[in-house]
Each structure stands twice: as structure tokens, then as C-alpha cells.
Amino acid sequence: MLIAAVFAFIVFRPVNVDYGTSEVYSKSDLDAAVLAVKFDFAKMIGCNHLSLRYAGDERSQRELENENKWRIPGDEYVACIVFDSAFQSPKTAYGAWNANSTYEWSWTIVKTANGTWTVLDKGYA
């Protein structure tokens, strides 16, 4: 129960989100992508998520085209949203993280035909 409470706190705590403007995606699409990032980020033990910024329609559409090049026809992603983020690593060195450092990553979140948003890729921006 304690683990579930900690996980919920990490997922639902406030993160500074800059939605920018989109002519392609609705606020609910962007919110779903943010939630997918938060769930994935919660696995990064000890890190503090500082911000998310929508990378824009052009970059998101370019990533959608690039990802669909490798998909089987009929099994392509129907949407792709890219967010850039900043986060603080743990106060002490942990795994691949330097102690108490700020990292900037990009998150590529895709939507499948069944409507599920999922993190496809993440890493250095």
C-alpha cells in the first residue's frame, strides 16, 4: 500500500507543463501524453521532474512520419506528441545519474489505433 501511495504521489504531483499551441492536438490529447510521461517518469527513482514543454506540431509530425517508416502497413501509429523535459537527479549518485544534476530529455509519446498513448522513446534532447 505504501509503494502504491508513493507511486501515486510521483505520478500526480504537479509538474510545470508548457502546452504551447497546437493546431493538431487537443488539450485532452496533450494531457494524455503528459500522463504517459508521468507514469514512465515515476520509474526513475529519486529524480524530481521539473518541467515538460510541448515540442510543437512540426517536430511531433516529423517524429510520427519517422516512426511509421518502420511499421507494418495497417499497424502505424495514429498520432505522436513530443515533449521536452527537465529533471533533477537524486541528491547522491545513483545508477547512471550524476549526483544532484539537471538533465534535459525528450519524450516521444505515440497513440495506437486503439487509442492508447504510450511512451515510445525517451532520452537526451
Side-chain angles (χ1 to χ4, degrees), residues 26-46:
S26 68
K27 175 80 164 53
S28 64
D29 285 331
L30 294 168
D31 282 338
V34 166
L35 192 58
V37 170
K38 285 182 167 186
F39 273 108
D40 200 63
F41 186 85
K43 300 172 195 169
M44 296 168 60
I45 298 168

Side-chain angles (χ1 to χ4, degrees), residues 49-122:
H49 206 174
L50 303 173
S51 65
L52 279 173
R53 181 183 56 80
Y54 177 54
D57 290 345
E58 184 178 318
R59 186 163 158 211
S60 294
Q61 293 305 301
R62 187 173 59 242
E63 285 299 318
L64 178 62
E65 291 172 13
N66 287 339
E67 294 302 333
N68 278 337
K69 284 181 189 177
W70 312 107
R71 305 291 295 175
I72 297 168
D75 191 33
E76 295 93 355
Y77 298 118
V78 297
C80 176
I81 294 176
V82 178
F83 274 97
D84 292 322
S85 72
F87 63 92
Q88 190 79 26
S89 64
K91 301 280 185 213
T92 57
Y94 175 79
W97 310 121
N98 292 323
N100 202 27
S101 298
T102 300
Y103 290 86
E104 294 182 4
W105 275 15
S106 288
W107 301 77
T108 303
I109 307 97
V110 292
K111 184 177 183 182
T112 58
N114 70 3
T116 302
W117 286 96
T118 187
V119 173
L120 179 67
D121 194 20
K122 61 188 174 204

